[in-house]
Amino acid sequence: MVLLKVKDIVVKDRIREEYGDLEDLKKSILKYREASPGQGGLLQAIGVDVKGSLVWGGRRLRAYQELGLEEIPSVLVGGPMVTPALIAEMEFEENFLRKDLRQGEVSNHRTKMHALLTSIHGEVNHPGRGGEGQSLAKSAEAMGIAKSTLFQDKLVSHALAVMPELGVLDKKSAIINKFKRELIKKITSEIAQRMTLGVVDSIKWGDCRELIKDVPSESVSLWLTDIPYDLEVDKLS
């Protein structure tokens, strides 16, 4: 691997015409440049042929250009066996066969990262970025994403753990909505089935902490409670 001048790399007609949003990629490059000086913040170097033309890594090169960075880690593609046809094939594989991670894979990774950070720093004492422990906000900040994004990632990860078949969907909203629909169907079916078993029409008066001891395990379909007015539930432990 060598460092090449960004301005010297020639970009000819490319398979990928739309580079998409590069902001997350640029943040990642800047974040990891100090940690891996030889890699220049890239997890994979770009490919350049012996004539200085780009073979793969168009988004990475474009991100470097927008960041104003002068040199980029590159792999030189050359030799007697490297024909124009082979270079075209390599570009094809880079853009089509080596697909990006699915949304579910991204969400699972972020959820595992949050769990790892929590195992290192401990559970948070209260929500937000302040105080001790690893909050959702702190993990999101460390990953360079919004707290709401990480919250959605956790929902997606949970949905996939229960219904792995949802992993084929490519959007978080699609995975979450499909999961909710399937859950509602399951719950509705369960309620309909239990209603056929009949209803016990009785009222018991007393201390719920004592009465609950007489309730058989797995016999309750629904608890409906009415907590005191103006009780700040979010502050309860």
Side-chain angles (χ1 to χ4, degrees):
M1 188 172 64
V2 296
L3 289 175
L4 296 180
K5 296 287 186 184
V6 171
K7 64 180 180 64
D8 294 336
I9 297 173
V10 180
V11 181
K12 298 181 179 178
D13 292 338
R14 305 282 296 156
I15 293 174
R16 186 194 291 270
E17 295 180 357
E18 178 56 53
Y19 287 94
D21 186 2
L22 298 174
E23 292 308 307
D24 285 342
L25 177 57
K26 289 192 286 187
K27 288 177 184 177
S28 174
I29 289 171
L30 293 176
K31 179 178 179 180
Y32 293 115
R33 282 190 82 214
E34 296 299 323
S36 56
Q39 289 289 115
L42 295 182
L43 302 183
Q44 179 186 357
I46 67 170
V48 180
D49 67 16
V50 291
K51 295 182 180 178
S53 296
L54 182 70
V55 178
W56 69 75
R59 293 186 81 248
R60 279 158 275 169
L61 178 62
R62 178 67 64 88
Y64 257 64
Q65 291 171 335
E66 292 186 8
L67 287 169
L69 301 176
E70 296 183 356
E71 295 182 324
I72 186 169
S74 310
V75 173
L76 294 179
V77 182
M81 300 297 293
V82 182
T83 63
L86 181 60
I87 289 178
E89 184 179 339
M90 291 168 74
E91 183 191 352
F92 176 82
E93 289 209 13
E94 171 74 11
N95 285 282
F96 288 95
L97 301 184
R98 299 183 184 183
K99 297 182 184 297
D100 294 334
L101 291 174
R102 286 177 174 171
Q103 182 56 62
E105 293 171 322
V106 173
S107 292
N108 279 335
H109 171 71
R110 288 174 176 167
T111 302
K112 287 176 182 176
M113 281 292 294
H114 172 59
L116 176 62
L117 290 170
T118 301
S119 70
I120 295 171
H121 302 291
E123 294 281 352
V124 69
N125 293 327
H126 57 81
R129 294 186 176 85
E132 297 179 357
Q134 190 67 30
S135 67
L136 206 65
K138 286 181 179 178
S139 293
E141 190 173 39
M143 296 181 214
I145 58 177
K147 177 184 173 182
S148 58
T149 299
L150 184 54
F151 179 77
Q152 275 195 322
D153 285 322
K154 287 191 68 181
L155 286 179
V156 168
S157 187
H158 172 70
L160 294 178
V162 178
M163 299 178 184
E165 63 273 17
L166 299 180
V168 298
L169 302 176
D170 59 355
K171 290 185 178 179
K172 279 192 283 192
S173 58
I175 293 172
I176 293 171
N177 290 336
K178 177 73 172 175
F179 178 64
K180 286 180 179 177
R181 288 196 299 271
E182 293 300 317
L183 219 53
I184 289 171
K185 275 195 227 174
K186 184 177 179 180
I187 293 170
T188 304
S189 173
E190 181 77 11
I191 291 173
Q193 183 181 4
R194 286 175 181 254
M195 285 181 67
T196 62
L197 301 177
V199 178
V200 177
D201 185 10
S202 66
I203 297 175
K204 294 186 179 182
W205 179 269
D207 187 332
C208 65
R209 294 169 297 181
E210 294 301 323
L211 292 176
I212 199 171
K213 295 176 182 177
D214 297 327
V215 178
S217 297
E218 300 182 8
S219 66
V220 178
S221 300
L222 173 68
W223 284 103
L224 181 60
T225 66
D226 184 11
I227 63 173
Y229 176 72
D230 205 26
L231 187 66
E232 297 184 72
V233 181
D234 60 325
K235 293 185 179 179
L236 296 176
S237 63

